[in-house]
Each structure stands twice: as structure tokens, then as C-alpha cells.
Amino acid sequence: MTDRTVTDRPRRIALLGAPIDMGASQRGTLMGPAALRTAGLATLLESLDFEVVDYGDLSVSEVRDLSDRPPEKANHYREIQRWTRLLSRKGHEIAKTGALPIFLGGDHTLSMGSVNAMARHWQERGRELFVLWLDAHADYNTPETTITANMHGMSAAFLCGEPGLDGLLGDDPRASIDPDRLDLFGARSIDKLEKELMRTRRIRVVDMRQIDEFGVAVLIRRVIERVKASNGVLHVSFDVDFLDPCVAPGVGTTVPGGATYREAHLIMELLHDSGVVGSVDIVELNPFLDERGRTARTAVELIGSLFGQQIADRPTPSNAIAPGE
């Protein structure tokens, strides 16, 4: 396959809300999609010359329960199962339209459905999906390793095909990615058994020590080059607790020492320049804990940088790879 030019990037963006908050211990992320819309996400993207289609918020009220046996340590398994199946189906349907999906959360269990949808979509087109996990946490627990049994801490493990949640999608296709195509970026809170499992799987982790030592530009370029080398497509799963709490207080699982405002913008700007981003999650925004909408506005500003907003005109490198077919 021949690489396409940057001018072939999708100019249509699809927004899809998933007001889910039972995957975490702190409720309130169900208000996240509304907060992102109120902070002007669609308006900003339209100002960057994108056509924005908002599919509204999903509801699982009419999704039937399955009859598999829930794992012993997976809180609210049945509800999250309904969300995962619905998100996977709807995300796959949207991807087939040619629009670039942005999934608005909601807690990080959203990614169990969104990443499955996008991995399935790109597998059908003969390309590999890579995932950049911008998060204070690794989220690589399973029902076997978890301390809390909260399922938002199992999302990354599920998308890499780890056992323990094998019935989550029922008879729907499960399109797992190889652990080698997952990059955890900004981690600063990892459980002991989780760390052992990640070491066994050789998961790539960029922690805050590495960011302090080498800087985000060097480290994010390594991710980008690996995606380009495989003519792959990148899904960005952006948990707002990736940011330092002084920048983004509106999250239920704050961990001190996160990315600065400028570091986060540089990451998004470099990802935009690369042309490899094909889908995005924005998760764990909890407006109930925010300070007058500050975290929502910051998240929207960062998405602006991811889609080309810049202070001064700067040409995009001509060797950037667009995620289109």
C-alpha cells in the first residue's frame, strides 16, 4: 500500500458521548460529555475547518443482558458489558462512514468498546491499530490482579486480549491488539501485580521520570515513528488525569506530578504533525469535581492542538502519514 499525503486526512469528525461512570469508584464522569460540549468542543473543531457530526449520547437502557457468569472481582460488570457492546458496535459503524471518531466519556471503561471498534475497523482494512494511553495509571489490571475490582483499571488489559473478561462482548467480534502496539505514557501509579503482568508482557511504559529526563518530544516521536514504520493508525486514549492536578483538578483519581499544560500541548501538536491519529477518547472528566469548568476547557484546548490549532503558521511535515485507507 502506498502512503497517502497529509491532505487526505479526514475532514469530518464524529462525536459520540458515553456517559458511563460505574467503572470508577468516584461517580460523576457521566456528566463529562455534556461538559466537553459546553466547553465548545464542536465549535473549536469547526473553526479548524472540520465538518462535525454529533451523534449525541448513547444509552444502554434497551441493550439486553447476557447470561455469562460475571467475574468475582469486576464491579458493575453487567452494566459495563452493555456499554462495551454498544460502544463497539456504534464506533465500528461510525468508522465505516469515513469520519474520525472522538469518544466522549465517561470513565476509562469506555475504551474497552471504542478501541475494540477501531481495531476491528482497521483490521478489516489491512492496517494495524496502535494505542497511545495518556494516563496517570496503567489500567492493566485483570480480575485476577485488581485490588479495587473497579473496571476502569482493566481497560488497557482488555484491549490487549488479557483473560478474565472474555465474555464482555458476548458473540460480538473481539479485535484485540498485540501488547507491543500499546504505549502507556505519563504513568505514575501502577499496582504491584499489575506491574508484574506488564513486565511479563513487555508493555512499553513512559513514566514521569523518563519525561523529566528526556522530555516529551523525544519520547512521543518514538511512538510516532513506530506507528509510521508499520503504516499503522494511532488511537489516542486521553485520560485527563494524565495532566497534573493543578492543571486539571476535575478528575476522581488525581495523582500529583503529572504532565504540565505546555508538555501536553506539545504532545498533541506533534501528534497532529505526524498525521497518524485516526480516533480519540477523552475520559475521566468529572465536572462535579472541577473548578468552574477549568478541566473541561483545558481538555478542549488540547484537542484543538491535536487537530491543528496553532499560534503561528507552521507547515506540517510532508512525510506525515494520513490514517485513511
Side-chain angles (χ1 to χ4, degrees):
M1 172 180 281
T2 302
D3 296 341
R4 301 180 68 183
T5 65
V6 72
T7 56
D8 292 323
R9 297 185 190 191
R11 299 308 302 176
R12 185 155 39 92
I13 291 176
L15 305 180
L16 182 64
I20 174 175
D21 71 351
M22 71 288 302
S25 56
Q26 177 73 55
R27 307 300 286 265
T29 56
L30 83 169
M31 298 184 290
L36 291 166
R37 291 187 178 99
T38 302
L41 178 59
T43 301
L44 175 58
L45 293 170
E46 288 168 347
S47 75
L48 298 172
D49 296 326
F50 287 94
E51 176 189 349
V52 179
V53 181
D54 193 339
Y55 286 83
D57 290 348
L58 292 175
S59 171
V60 295
S61 59
E62 297 184 5
V63 179
R64 65 179 181 86
D65 282 341
L66 300 183
S67 58
D68 60 314
R69 183 176 180 179
E72 288 186 13
K73 296 176 69 178
N75 295 338
H76 304 288
Y77 173 84
R78 197 61 76 197
E79 278 186 273
I80 292 168
Q81 182 180 55
R82 295 201 298 269
W83 276 107
T84 302
R85 291 159 60 211
L86 184 59
L87 272 163
S88 181
R89 293 171 186 171
K90 188 64 177 179
H92 183 255
E93 177 186 318
I94 290 172
K96 288 195 296 183
T97 70
L100 187 153
I102 300 181
F103 300 91
L104 311 178
D107 67 55
H108 222 152
T109 55
L110 173 156
S111 299
M112 295 180 176
S114 64
V115 174
N116 191 74
M118 300 311 299
R120 181 183 168 197
H121 172 75
W122 290 111
Q123 282 179 13
E124 292 168 353
R125 283 149 183 79
R127 298 182 68 182
E128 293 183 336
L129 184 73
F130 291 72
V131 176
L132 176 63
W133 203 261
L134 299 172
D135 200 325
H137 309 85
D139 294 341
Y140 210 87
N141 273 301
T142 69
E144 185 72 22
T145 66
T146 183
I147 298 171
T148 65
N150 292 329
M151 288 183 65
H152 72 158
M154 306 179 195
S155 304
F158 175 80
L159 64 90
C160 287
E162 295 292 347
L165 298 173
D166 305 289
L168 200 61
L169 286 162
D171 293 330
D172 291 0
R174 183 176 180 182
S176 302
I177 69 167
D178 190 282
D180 187 56
R181 287 187 269 129
L182 171 68
D183 281 271
L184 307 179
F185 204 95
R188 51 197 190 274
S189 176
I190 304 176
D191 299 332
K192 182 177 183 295
L193 293 179
E194 181 182 31
K195 185 183 295 185
E196 292 174 4
L197 178 59
M198 289 165 54
R199 186 181 298 118
T200 300
R201 300 291 188 261
R202 298 183 178 180
I203 301 294
R204 289 187 179 84
V205 184
V206 170
D207 61 16
M208 292 308 298
R209 159 69 188 266
Q210 289 169 281
I211 289 175
D212 290 342
E213 191 169 355
F214 299 104
V216 294
V218 169
L219 299 168
I220 207 68
R221 284 189 177 114
R222 291 178 184 172
V223 176
I224 291 167
E225 290 307 314
R226 196 160 52 252
V227 178
K228 286 186 175 182
S230 297
N231 190 31
V233 181
L234 185 65
H235 177 93
V236 178
S237 197
F238 169 42
D239 185 325
V240 292
D241 73 18
F242 165 70
L243 301 166
D244 191 85
C246 71
V247 177
V251 296
T253 50
T254 56
V255 184
T260 67
Y261 183 82
R262 190 53 238 162
E263 285 172 333
H265 271 286
L266 181 55
I267 289 169
M268 297 303 187
E269 290 161 358
L270 292 172
L271 288 172
H272 170 262
D273 290 351
S274 74
V276 298
V277 176
S279 47
V280 181
D281 300 327
I282 310 172
V283 301
E284 299 289 352
L285 170 62
N286 190 330
F288 183 74
L289 303 174
D290 204 2
E291 297 173 0
R292 306 180 73 173
R294 183 153 65 99
T295 306
R297 290 195 302 273
T298 297
V300 168
E301 290 165 2
L302 289 169
I303 295 301
S305 290
L306 181 60
F307 286 96
Q309 188 176 44
Q310 53 189 20
I311 297 170
D313 289 339
R314 183 178 292 106
T316 299
S318 60
N319 64 345
I321 301 173
E325 295 176 56

